Amino acid sequence: MKRIIIFIAALLLICGNSPAQNKEKSYVIGFYNLENLFDIYDDPAKNDEEFLPNGKNKWTEAKYRKKIHNMAQVIRAMRDDNKAYHAVLGVSEIENRLVLDDLVSDPQIAGANFQIVHYDGPDRRGVDVALLYRPDVFKYLDSESIPFTFEDTKVKITLSKADQDYFRTRDILMVHGTIEDEHFAIYVCHLPSRLGGKGGDLRSRGAEIIYNHARAMERKYRGIKVVVMGDMNDNPTDDSQAVWLHGRPEITERMYRDDFFNPFYSMYKDGYGSLAYRGQWNIYDIIQVNYNLAVAPHGGLKIQKIVRNKYYGRIFHKPFMTQQSGQYKDTPFRTFSNGAFVGGYSDHYPTFIKISK
């Protein structure tokens, strides 16, 4: 009888240490365009006149707090879906550090203890990019705000020299840190808009800047894993992503070490979208990973399939984030519609990937 009890106890111990329970941790890496997250205060250095209490949008404290609550609600919903907060979350269309402090302090997500990396940039609209990260997962080392310039470019630029000198857009944020002692370079960008007839050459130039900087980081830190995320204002098939960032549609043996993998290429081809414009779905909210994270030739963390065991990327949306009726039914439920405050979330859905060993 004693032997039987010992045998059963041993079986329970083995089952208790089954592979299902010892499954490696996965980490969520994502991006979210927060659609004009401005505070209510006048900043002479920012083009924020529309987002003041007496401005065009009548941007009051109540509307601002609603916007903060909504953004935090989406981040919390992603946490509930993934059973963990993002390890890193890139954001765009934020006015300053204050709005980020208010966002990460919202009770819905305060438990994540998100830390902030942000630089004030030169964009004429007054919006920047930033990175939120969990310090218990991502160990910050250093960061850099990379300016958008036209120096030494191989892209054929259509702007005149005078227009180039006048041109201002968001800087590109690079944050260097480690996850499980593996080096990562995270790039967050918001490439030039298509509004006003801005050409694809500007977005290609932005991609060229990122790619060249990432290659330099790869030379400096052997085996570093690179993530490029942002509102690209281009689809995965456009030149900025496919040519200048070397974004490949699949992970194959034919990938070169200087290639990137674009998880959203196949999703775009299959009709998915992160924003809708004039009835057409686009994926501008793109996350690309370098060869070291796509293939992990020396082991360690690598990108994983997360949607129906088919797609490596996910476009996150829930009914509360989606317009339920009217002209824009089934598209992202935005903050303003036809100039009126409707109390929505963003005109973009967030996107993310997952990595694990």
Side-chain angles (χ1 to χ4, degrees):
M1 182 68 179
K2 185 177 180 180
R3 289 181 179 178
I4 294 174
I5 294 173
I6 293 172
F7 178 72
I8 292 173
L11 282 177
L12 290 172
L13 182 61
I14 292 170
C15 292
N17 289 313
S18 65
Q21 289 189 338
N22 286 336
K23 187 177 180 180
E24 296 286 353
K25 287 183 179 179
S26 65
Y27 303 103
V28 183
I29 295 176
F31 173 78
Y32 195 14
N33 181 322
L34 302 183
E35 192 202 7
N36 294 321
L37 182 53
F38 281 78
D39 64 28
I40 63 170
Y41 308 108
D42 185 20
D43 183 345
K46 297 275 188 176
N47 184 14
D48 61 358
E49 287 75 15
E50 291 186 2
F51 289 90
L52 298 174
N54 60 351
K56 176 183 175 182
N57 293 323
K58 305 297 181 187
W59 195 239
T60 62
E61 178 76 13
K63 290 178 180 177
Y64 172 67
R65 290 298 165 187
K66 172 66 172 172
K67 177 73 172 179
I68 289 288
H69 175 275
N70 285 359
M71 299 297 90
Q73 183 183 358
V74 173
I75 296 170
R76 175 68 193 203
M78 287 190 281
R79 180 264 173 220
D80 292 343
D81 218 60
N82 291 315
K83 311 304 180 190
Y85 284 110
H86 286 70
V88 296
L89 175 63
V91 293
S92 69
E93 290 200 19
I94 54 99
E95 182 183 9
N96 51 33
R97 174 68 183 244
L98 172 63
V99 300
L100 295 171
D101 286 333
D102 286 345
L103 175 61
V104 301
S105 300
D106 187 281
Q108 297 173 97
I109 62 172
N113 190 31
F114 282 123
Q115 303 299 296
I116 300 166
V117 184
H118 166 257
Y119 294 83
D120 284 315
D123 181 68
R124 295 198 184 280
R125 275 190 59 218
V127 292
D128 300 324
V129 298
L131 187 77
L132 312 180
Y133 70 92
R134 280 175 48 200
D136 60 317
V137 175
F138 182 81
K139 308 302 181 184
Y140 173 90
L141 293 174
D142 54 75
S143 60
E144 182 180 353
S145 190
I146 306 166
F148 188 107
T149 70
F150 295 97
E151 297 174 7
D152 301 321
T153 182
K154 294 181 180 178
V155 178
K156 186 177 180 181
I157 302 297
T158 57
L159 293 181
S160 68
K161 184 61 170 65
D163 287 339
Q164 290 179 34
D165 292 341
Y166 179 79
F167 184 75
R168 297 290 183 275
T169 191
R170 283 75 57 174
D171 284 354
I172 298 154
L173 175 64
M174 189 285 296
V175 183
H176 174 211
T178 63
I179 300 175
E180 292 194 9
D181 297 322
E182 296 185 32
H183 282 265
F184 279 76
I186 312 289
Y187 292 83
V188 187
C189 63
H190 188 177
L191 296 184
S193 169
R194 292 174 173 240
L195 296 177
K198 297 186 182 72
D201 57 321
L202 297 179
R203 293 179 291 281
S204 291
R205 172 54 183 157
E208 181 188 37
I209 292 170
I210 297 168
Y211 183 80
N212 289 343
H213 195 283
R215 295 292 291 149
M217 290 293 287
E218 288 174 338
R219 290 190 293 271
K220 186 175 182 180
Y221 300 96
R222 183 177 181 275
I224 192 170
K225 295 176 177 179
V226 179
V227 180
V228 178
M229 65 173 72
D231 179 351
M232 306 300 184
N233 276 305
D234 266 340
N235 282 305
T237 53
D238 289 321
D239 281 357
S240 68
Q241 304 305 298
V243 177
W244 295 98
L245 260 177
H246 295 235
R248 303 300 175 234
E250 297 177 337
I251 299 174
T252 69
E253 294 179 355
R254 289 178 292 178
M255 275 188 72
Y256 295 106
R257 289 184 177 272
D258 57 355
D259 283 338
F260 276 73
F261 166 57
N262 191 335
F264 296 92
Y265 194 109
S266 59
M267 298 187 76
Y268 175 65
K269 285 290 190 178
D270 287 347
Y272 291 88
S274 62
L275 75 156
Y277 182 67
R278 294 182 177 176
Q280 180 177 343
W281 281 101
N282 301 281
I283 301 181
Y284 289 175
D285 306 273
I286 295 171
I287 304 169
Q288 296 210 42
V289 301
N290 73 335
Y291 177 90
N292 292 332
L293 191 51
V295 178
H298 305 293
L301 296 165
K302 66 184 295 186
I303 192 170
Q304 305 292 333
K305 291 180 180 178
I306 56 176
V307 178
R308 297 201 299 272
N309 201 33
K310 179 179 181 181
Y311 299 113
Y312 287 89
R314 183 174 175 191
I315 300 166
F316 184 83
H317 57 90
K318 296 289 184 180
F320 73 86
M321 301 163 57
T322 302
Q323 186 71 40
Q324 297 298 312
S325 61
Q327 179 183 358
Y328 302 109
K329 183 180 179 182
D330 296 329
T331 65
F333 183 23
R334 55 195 303 167
T335 306
F336 287 88
S337 180
N338 294 322
F341 179 77
V342 293
Y345 295 79
S346 173
D347 54 347
H348 293 243
Y349 289 135
T351 56
F352 61 79
I353 62 171
K354 286 185 180 180
I355 62 172
S356 67
K357 290 184 178 176

